[in-house]
Amino acid sequence: MKLWLAVLIAAGGCAALKLAGFVVPVRLLESAAAKRILEALPVTLLSALIAVSVFATGSYLVLDSRAAGLAVALILVAIRAPFLIVVIAACATAAGVHAL
Amino acid sequence: MPETPRNDYLNSGSSPSVARRRIRNRALAIGVSVTPFGLSFGAVSVEAHLSLVQVCLLSLVLFSGASQFALVSIIGAGGSYLSAVGTALLLGVRNGLYGARINALLRPAGWRRFVMAEVTIDESTAMAVSEAPSGNAARAFWTTALSVYVLWNASTVAGALVGNALGSPATTGLDVAGPAAFVALLAPRLNTARMRVAALGAGAVALVTVPIVPVGAPILIGGLTAVALLLVLDR
């Protein structure tokens, strides 16, 4: 019963959070300041997400095979490799280092 | 026609058919890269004593990998339901922030707003933002959303029924598929010094806070601090 409650609150709450961004009146998003913030937000949030998903496990900072994968991705993006090559090479590197 | 950044090499090729193919291929690759996590999520959920209906409900309605994983991992590890739900919600806040950007970018009306909100996640947002200068944001958003939604739900059910056939995402290296895809998609947006500083700042602040704040908070703290930093830099 408690488990059902947890599942329903988490699912409903997360769906509501997603909707929250869409109920903000669009005119509030049109000021120059709002535009600057909104254009930067996905970039900074995804950057933080990249850092956390590569260098953290739970509440611990860790340096493991994921860092090698990210390094390869950064190098390949810098030399303008195609998208799929970046993703596949990063995964292959991380898998290789993990297997060592 | 929006101006295309000079070094937007990843989205080079402006003809409609080239853009369509590029978006389809990337959306499919991103969808495929979430399947090991879907399998793993399904398997972990069953181990945490969730029923198949509950697992499916989470993937269909909650539909946000990080929140779903946090919820079932904490429950499976014997943590309190309150901390499980709280962590899932905290991780879900960024989808609301993405939503404001997607709302301003794509201006959905009526029922589309609800469908769009439901599939506003890291992957669909990254693809939409990446294709915004090429004028293909809507196509990129919907194609990625469809690909991830279908493959995430299918892999979740498979994981719950037959277990995690692929093994841990770390073994296959697919634990960096998401980060690598986001790096590639964000690269064209990092064409100015101020955006590079903001991106690095966001990552650094997030990592510094990892050991000291609850799971889920570092991403928000890093992302919001970096935007505040940008506003200060711009003054």
Side-chain angles (χ1 to χ4, degrees), chain B residues 48-73:
Chain B
H49 303 293
L50 271 77
S51 69
L52 184 61
V53 177
Q54 290 167 331
V55 176
C56 291
L57 188 88
L58 286 174
S59 282
L60 288 166
V61 178
L62 198 162
F63 186 53
S64 194
S67 295
Q68 290 178 234
F69 254 111
L71 183 77
V72 301
S73 306

Side-chain angles (χ1 to χ4, degrees), chain B:
Chain B
M1 194 62 195
E3 187 192 342
T4 303
R6 183 170 43 84
N7 63 346
D8 199 352
Y9 80 96
L10 274 164
N11 295 339
S12 59
S14 51
S15 93
S17 69
V18 169
R20 273 201 297 275
R21 200 173 327 118
R22 174 181 72 231
I23 290 166
R24 188 196 59 207
N25 290 346
R26 287 181 188 176
L28 201 58
I30 290 170
V32 168
S33 75
V34 305
T35 58
F37 293 93
L39 287 170
S40 176
F41 170 73
V44 170
S45 301
V46 170
E47 281 167 31
H49 303 293
L50 271 77
S51 69
L52 184 61
V53 177
Q54 290 167 331
V55 176
C56 291
L57 188 88
L58 286 174
S59 282
L60 288 166
V61 178
L62 198 162
F63 186 53
S64 194
S67 295
Q68 290 178 234
F69 254 111
L71 183 77
V72 301
S73 306
I74 294 170
I75 291 173
S80 75
Y81 287 109
L82 193 65
S83 70
V85 173
T87 306
L89 291 173
L90 198 54
L91 283 162
V93 171
R94 75 172 178 277
N95 291 326
L97 297 171
Y98 292 151
R101 169 68 176 134
I102 296 298
N103 189 21
L105 185 63
L106 302 179
R107 308 289 171 100
W111 60 271
R112 279 169 185 270
R113 182 177 293 246
F114 292 89
V115 182
M116 199 170 251
E118 180 59 23
V119 293
T120 296
I121 53 172
D122 298 314
E123 291 85 355
S124 52
T125 303
M127 279 284 282
V129 167
S130 167
E131 292 284 348
S134 74
N136 293 303
R139 172 180 287 274
F141 179 88
W142 287 114
T143 311
T144 309
L146 181 70
S147 166
V148 174
Y149 196 81
V150 169
L151 290 167
W152 176 252
N153 276 281
S155 57
T156 294
V157 175
L161 291 178
V162 301
N164 188 1
L166 285 184
S168 145
T171 313
T172 48
L174 281 157
D175 52 351
V176 292
F182 295 140
V183 165
L185 291 173
L186 291 185
R189 298 284 77 75
L190 303 179
N191 56 349
T192 59
R194 68 187 272 280
M195 282 313 293
R196 282 196 286 272
V197 168
L200 285 174
V205 170
L207 289 181
V208 166
T209 58
V210 158
I212 50 180
V213 299
V215 170
I219 298 169
L220 284 177
I221 295 172
L224 293 173
T225 306
V227 168
L229 175 75
L230 266 188
L231 293 180
V232 173
L233 285 179
D234 286 348
R235 285 168 74 94

Side-chain angles (χ1 to χ4, degrees), chain A residues 8-71:
Chain A
L8 290 176
I9 294 174
C14 284
L17 283 170
K18 289 178 180 178
L19 200 54
F22 286 83
V23 296
V24 182
V26 169
R27 62 183 166 75
L28 287 186
L29 308 176
E30 291 194 322
S31 73
K35 272 190 178 149
R36 277 217 310 275
I37 293 173
L38 282 183
E39 282 177 16
L41 251 185
V43 178
T44 59
L45 284 170
L46 286 166
S47 299
L49 173 69
I50 292 167
V52 170
S53 47
V54 169
F55 297 108
T57 299
S59 286
Y60 298 93
L61 292 176
V62 285
L63 194 62
D64 60 18
S65 56
R66 291 172 294 175
L70 178 67

